[in-house]
Amino acid sequence: MSAADLARLQFAATTGIHWLFVILTMGLVPLVAIMHTRAAFTRDPVKRAVGERRTRFWGQLYVINYAVGIVTGLVMEFQFGLSWSGLSKFAGNVFGAPLALETLIAFFAESTFLGMWIFGWGRLRKGVHVTLIWLVALTAYASAYWIMIANGFMQHPVGYEVRDGAAYLTDFGALLSNSSALVALVHVALAALTTGGVFVAGVSAHHFLGRTTETELFRGSLRLGLWTAAVASFFVVVVGEMQRPVIERTQPMKDAVLRNSGVAEAQARLVEEHGPGDYVPWQDTVRMSMDVMTVIGNTVSTITLIAVVLLWRDWLLRRRLVLYVLVAMVPFPFVASVGGWVVREVGRQPWLVYGQLTVEDAFSGVSTTAVAVSCTAFVAVFVALAVTNWTLITRFARRGPDATQLGTTEPLPATETPVATGPLPVGLSAGPPSQAPTSPSATER
C-alpha cells in the first residue's frame, strides 16, 4: 500500500469514526430539546416531574456522546496539513472560512450554550433554560451546514477562480448556495434524526423488555423516538433521490457508476477534458455502499412505520418480538450513514476537488513509514474513544433514570457544614460553625 493510500485510509477511518459521534449528537439534541420544552411548560406537576426525569436521562446520554465526540473532532483539520498540504494550498483560501466558522460555532457557541444548560438546572428560569438547549440544537445544525459547505466545494467547486495554482473565492453567495452542499445537508439532517429516533426507541424498548417501573417515562420516549424515526426515515429516502439530478449534472462518472451504465463514455469524456488518467472510482465499493444504505433505509422506514401503528392502545408494549427488533435496529442507521459517506467521498475519486485537484496532487509526499505510524496511532486512539463512548452510553442507558447525574447536586457529607456566602435563607440563623445546620440530605440520613 502506497503512502497516499495509507493517508486516505487514515482520513477515512478517523472521519468515519468521528461521524458516528456527530450523527448521534445531531439526532439526539432536538429530541432532548422537545422533551425539555414539554416538561418545562406542562401545568401538571406529575407530568412535569416525569418529563424532567426523561429530559435529564436522555440529556446525560447526549452529553456523554458530545463530550467524547468533540475530542475526535479536534484532530480532523490537522490532517489537512499533515498529509494533504496540496489541498490546503489549492483550496485553503476558499473553504478556510467555512471551516473556521464551523470551529467557532462548534467549539465556542455550541459548547458554551451546552455548558450553561448542563449547569443551569435549578439555577435558571425555565424559559432561559429551555432556550439554551434549543440554541445547542441550532448551533449543532449550523456547524453541520458549514462543514457541508466546505465539502460541497470539494464535490462541486463554485464561486472561485484559479490564480497561480491556487483557488480564490470570488462569489461567496455561490459558495453558500451550492446545490451539492444544500441537498446533502438536508439528507444528512434527516439521517441524523432517523438515527436519534431509532436510538431513543431502541433504548426505551430495552427497558420495557426488562419490565421497567418507569412506564410513563419510557412510553413517552418510545412514542417520540418512533414518530421521529418514521417520518425522518421516509423523507431521507425522498431527499436521497433528489440528489441524483445534482450528481448527474456535477459528477457524471459517479452517476454512471451508480447506474452501472455509461462508465466507459464518462471515462472518455473526462480524458478529453482533463487529459490521460483513470477517472473510474472503486465501482464495487460505491455500488455496495449504495445498496447497503438503500436497503437499511427502507428497512428502518418500514419497521418504524409498523411500530408507530402498533403504538395505538399500547399494542406495541405487548409484542416483545417487535421490542426486540427495535433494540436490534439501533446500529442500522449508523451503518447506513457510513455507507452514504462512502458513496459521496469514494464516488468522486480520483478527485479531491472535483475537476481541479487529484488525490496524487494533494498528497503531501510524506514517507510511507511516517504515514503508517500516524495512521496506526490515529486509528488506535479513535477506536479507543469510540469503545469508551459506547461503553459509557450502554452502561448509563441500562441503569436507567435512577443513575442519572445530570441536573443533580452532590449532597454534603454528614461531617461537613455549608458555608454561608450571602444572606441566609429564611428560617436559618447565623451562629458559630458548631451550631450551623447540616444539609437536608445529611439530616435525612
Side-chain angles (χ1 to χ4, degrees):
M1 185 176 290
S2 67
D5 289 336
L6 282 171
R8 289 177 63 188
L9 175 62
Q10 173 182 308
F11 201 89
T14 53
T15 304
I17 295 173
H18 176 64
W19 173 243
L20 299 178
F21 291 88
V22 172
I23 195 169
L24 183 58
T25 295
M26 291 177 61
L28 264 183
V29 65
L31 304 187
V32 174
I34 292 172
M35 294 175 191
H36 194 178
T37 303
R38 293 174 60 183
F41 294 101
T42 185
R43 295 184 178 181
D44 188 325
V46 175
K47 291 183 177 179
R48 181 166 59 248
V50 172
E52 287 184 356
R53 280 172 59 81
R54 182 187 297 127
T55 303
R56 292 193 297 109
F57 172 71
W58 294 108
Q60 177 161 293
L61 300 184
Y62 163 74
V63 169
I64 291 171
N65 185 74
Y66 180 91
V68 182
I70 206 169
V71 179
T72 65
L74 291 173
V75 302
M76 298 303 300
E77 295 177 15
F78 292 125
Q79 294 183 84
F80 291 138
L82 179 67
S83 302
W84 305 105
S85 58
L87 174 63
S88 301
K89 291 177 182 177
F90 175 80
N93 297 315
V94 177
F95 66 51
L99 290 180
L101 288 169
E102 189 275 334
T103 301
L104 288 173
I105 292 172
F107 291 101
F108 290 93
E110 184 181 359
S111 299
T112 299
F113 293 139
L114 179 59
M116 294 173 67
W117 182 75
I118 292 172
F119 296 104
W121 286 92
R123 297 175 175 86
L124 298 173
R125 294 182 178 178
K126 65 180 181 180
V128 175
H129 201 201
V130 170
T131 300
L132 285 171
I133 190 61
W134 280 110
L135 287 174
V136 173
L138 178 64
T139 50
Y141 281 81
S143 176
Y145 168 75
W146 289 114
I147 286 294
M148 294 308 299
I149 289 298
N151 183 266
F153 178 81
M154 298 167 70
Q155 301 285 339
H156 176 48
V158 294
Y160 74 104
E161 66 177 14
V162 178
R163 298 196 302 267
D164 299 325
Y168 290 88
L169 186 63
T170 58
D171 189 344
F172 195 51
L175 183 70
L176 299 184
S177 58
N178 189 345
S179 59
S180 184
L182 298 183
V183 180
L185 174 64
V186 177
H187 188 65
V188 165
L190 290 168
L193 290 173
T194 301
T195 304
V198 170
F199 176 79
V200 170
V203 174
S204 300
H206 168 78
H207 281 276
F208 280 114
L209 287 170
R211 312 294 186 182
T212 179
T213 58
E214 301 278 0
T215 305
E216 191 61 31
L217 187 153
F218 285 111
R219 180 186 284 114
S221 300
L222 184 64
R223 289 180 178 274
L224 178 59
L226 284 178
W227 274 107
T228 301
V231 174
S233 62
F234 172 79
F235 284 103
V236 78
V237 176
V238 174
V239 176
E241 288 299 318
M242 292 172 58
Q243 293 189 82
R244 296 302 288 266
V246 177
I247 295 173
E248 182 179 1
R249 186 180 69 254
T250 60
Q251 297 183 11
M253 177 58 79
K254 182 189 293 185
D255 178 65
V257 170
L258 292 175
R259 289 187 293 105
N260 197 19
S261 174
V263 174
E265 291 80 356
Q267 166 69 15
R269 192 181 316 125
L270 289 170
V271 168
E272 183 179 349
E273 293 176 1
H274 303 286
D278 182 6
Y279 299 99
V280 182
W282 299 337
Q283 298 185 63
D284 292 339
T285 301
V286 174
R287 293 194 194 109
M288 183 177 66
S289 299
M290 186 69 180
D291 291 341
V292 168
M293 179 178 62
T294 303
V295 170
I296 290 180
N298 291 330
T299 300
V300 169
S301 182
T302 303
I303 293 176
T304 52
L305 180 60
I306 294 172
V308 164
V309 174
L310 291 176
L311 284 173
W312 190 58
R313 294 187 177 179
D314 284 343
W315 286 352
L316 176 61
L317 303 184
R318 297 191 292 272
R319 284 159 174 79
R320 294 178 66 83
L321 177 61
V322 181
L323 293 175
Y324 277 114
V325 170
L326 292 179
V327 175
M329 198 170 61
V330 170
F332 284 15
F334 293 96
V335 177
S337 65
V338 171
W341 273 112
V342 170
V343 172
R344 185 169 176 85
E345 299 304 308
V346 176
R348 78 169 187 272
Q349 298 299 314
W351 302 106
L352 216 54
V353 178
Y354 197 85
Q356 295 294 328
L357 183 69
T358 65
V359 170
E360 292 183 359
D361 292 335
F363 182 57
S364 299
V366 185
S367 69
T368 303
T369 302
V371 178
V373 172
S374 172
C375 181
T376 302
F378 273 112
V379 172
V381 170
F382 272 56
V383 169
L385 289 171
V387 171
T388 301
N389 181 63
W390 281 104
T391 300
L392 290 173
I393 287 178
T394 303
R395 179 178 301 170
F396 281 97
R398 285 179 172 175
R399 288 179 178 177
D402 289 338
T404 301
Q405 299 173 8
L406 179 68
T408 62
T409 56
E410 291 292 333
L412 290 173
T415 56
E416 294 185 12
T417 56
V419 179
T421 57
L424 290 173
V426 176
L428 297 183
S429 59
S434 60
Q435 299 177 359
T438 58
S439 66
S441 56
T443 304
E444 291 170 1
R445 289 199 299 269

